[in-house]
Amino acid sequence: MTDTTDTTDEQGHGSAPAVPESAVWLKGQLLEIAAALHPDRRPAVVREWTDPVRLRDPAPVGHRFFFLLCVGGDDGPSSPGFGDALNAFAAAGWTVRRQSPGHPGESWATARQEDFEVRIYEGDGRGIVTFTGWTPVVYTERHLPQPPFTLSTAGGVLCDDCHGWGVCLDCEGRAYSGGSGGYGRCLCAANNAGPGRCVECGGSGLLTADEASWRRRQYGLPDAGRGDAVRQTPAEGGHDSSTSAFIDVSKRSCGCGEFRCFWRNILSVDGEHLLSRFVGTCQGCAAERSYTFALPSRGLAAPAVPPSPPLPPSPGPGSP
């Protein structure tokens, strides 16, 4: 089993906490389900990391633990795929829900069990199948509600002011700050953000598009395009499978220093090679990222043999 463990809590900063029992259980579940899909191949644990959860102070008040596994898809149509993965999670007692694919040819779903969640993904062109699983937030001191999302689960870049909570951290989401008299009005009610909401993000917990664009410019990165309009990068070599290429890509960081990214995989044929393309949006600055790898032709699935035309009926006895 390939295991590239990363215990950093954010952008390379160390001091991540000890792994709790909840994370040990989740990792065991993911490995067990992945191994059932490929009895003859051990699953690749691509990366392990944590998301910090903050309130007002820079020091985190808790962490959420993540595991990313790549479980196959390089062996062509005979290899277990997306549907098999969903069945395996359902058989293990998880509640599975298919999601609407955002791009043609790709498939994804979520599996939940109590406060644990897994994102199941298969790329276009019989691409790789990945599991991204996360625990509920484990708090170090006082118990707090689970945040709407953390850095790795958000569909964008977390707001710097509320750290993704979507609420004003001065009043913790209430309409009153509880000032000297106990009922002092909190200023978070200004700017039409509504009582208790974060003024900077309007309660969404995410940076606005303009703020994300400004952040990219600060790092000297281009603005994001629309849809799948990500530049086609020159094909790299050195890998014999999409799984190997994906492990490589998952170790690379964006120009802003963030490694977290929702990676998509697209497979296509180019002459005698299979091109495996990875595209995604950085969760640190929303910049578009793209890598392409040329794989050996032996990774190509054999084309289906067309059925033979039916034979004409045999003439019966006495026919001319």
Side-chain angles (χ1 to χ4, degrees):
M1 177 178 65
T2 303
D3 191 342
T4 55
T5 303
D6 189 311
T7 57
T8 55
D9 62 354
E10 57 162 329
Q11 296 190 11
H13 298 167
S15 70
V19 178
E21 291 184 4
S22 59
V24 174
W25 178 86
L26 176 60
K27 183 178 181 180
Q29 281 277 298
L30 296 178
L31 287 172
E32 183 177 339
I33 293 171
L37 290 174
H38 278 282
D40 58 341
R41 181 193 303 174
R42 303 192 69 180
V45 180
V46 177
R47 191 157 195 164
E48 304 177 27
W49 72 98
T50 65
D51 274 3
V53 177
R54 293 184 174 84
L55 288 176
R56 300 173 187 83
D57 301 325
V61 297
H63 288 81
R64 172 172 275 160
F65 295 78
F66 285 82
F67 302 95
L68 173 60
L69 276 67
C70 188
V71 296
D74 290 319
D75 294 336
S78 63
S79 175
F82 182 72
D84 303 296
L86 301 192
N87 292 336
F89 272 94
W94 293 70
T95 300
V96 178
R97 177 176 297 177
R98 285 178 177 263
Q99 304 292 335
S100 175
H103 301 271
E106 299 174 64
S107 303
W108 75 285
T110 56
R112 296 186 63 92
Q113 188 168 147
E114 297 180 352
D115 290 329
F116 297 86
E117 186 166 351
V118 180
R119 183 187 297 113
I120 307 162
Y121 170 84
E122 182 179 52
D124 183 20
R126 193 63 177 184
I128 56 176
V129 180
T130 62
F131 300 164
T132 306
W134 56 89
T135 70
V137 174
V138 179
Y139 292 105
T140 54
E141 295 181 4
R142 63 185 177 118
H143 182 72
L144 298 168
Q146 293 293 312
F149 37 67
T150 56
L151 181 59
S152 298
T153 65
V157 181
L158 291 188
C159 172
D160 291 329
D161 198 62
C162 68
H163 304 300
W165 286 88
V167 299
C168 171
L169 298 185
D170 289 331
C171 67
E172 296 185 2
R174 297 183 294 273
Y176 299 95
S177 64
S180 58
Y183 295 98
R185 187 71 173 178
C186 182
L187 294 178
C188 67
N191 296 336
N192 296 320
R197 296 182 186 175
C198 171
V199 174
E200 295 301 321
C201 66
S204 69
L206 303 177
L207 291 183
T208 64
D210 288 342
E211 290 171 326
S213 177
W214 176 86
R215 179 175 290 190
R216 286 192 296 273
R217 291 195 299 271
Q218 290 298 106
Y219 290 111
L221 300 169
D223 281 345
R226 296 181 178 179
D228 193 28
V230 183
R231 71 184 188 280
Q232 182 74 41
T233 54
E236 303 179 35
H239 294 284
D240 61 357
S241 68
S242 283
T243 299
S244 175
F246 182 57
I247 293 173
D248 181 358
V249 165
S250 298
K251 295 178 182 178
R252 304 184 185 188
S253 296
C254 175
C256 72
E258 180 56 66
F259 70 85
R260 295 169 178 87
C261 189
F262 287 124
W263 288 115
R264 299 169 40 227
N265 181 228
I266 301 98
L267 297 181
S268 60
V269 178
D270 181 21
E272 297 181 353
H273 292 280
L274 181 68
L275 293 183
S276 184
R277 185 178 180 223
F278 296 90
V279 296
T281 302
C282 175
Q283 287 167 279
C285 69
E288 294 175 331
R289 301 180 61 192
S290 176
Y291 302 98
T292 304
F293 297 88
L295 307 180
S297 58
R298 62 182 177 84
L300 294 172
V305 178
S308 301
L311 297 175
S314 302
S319 298

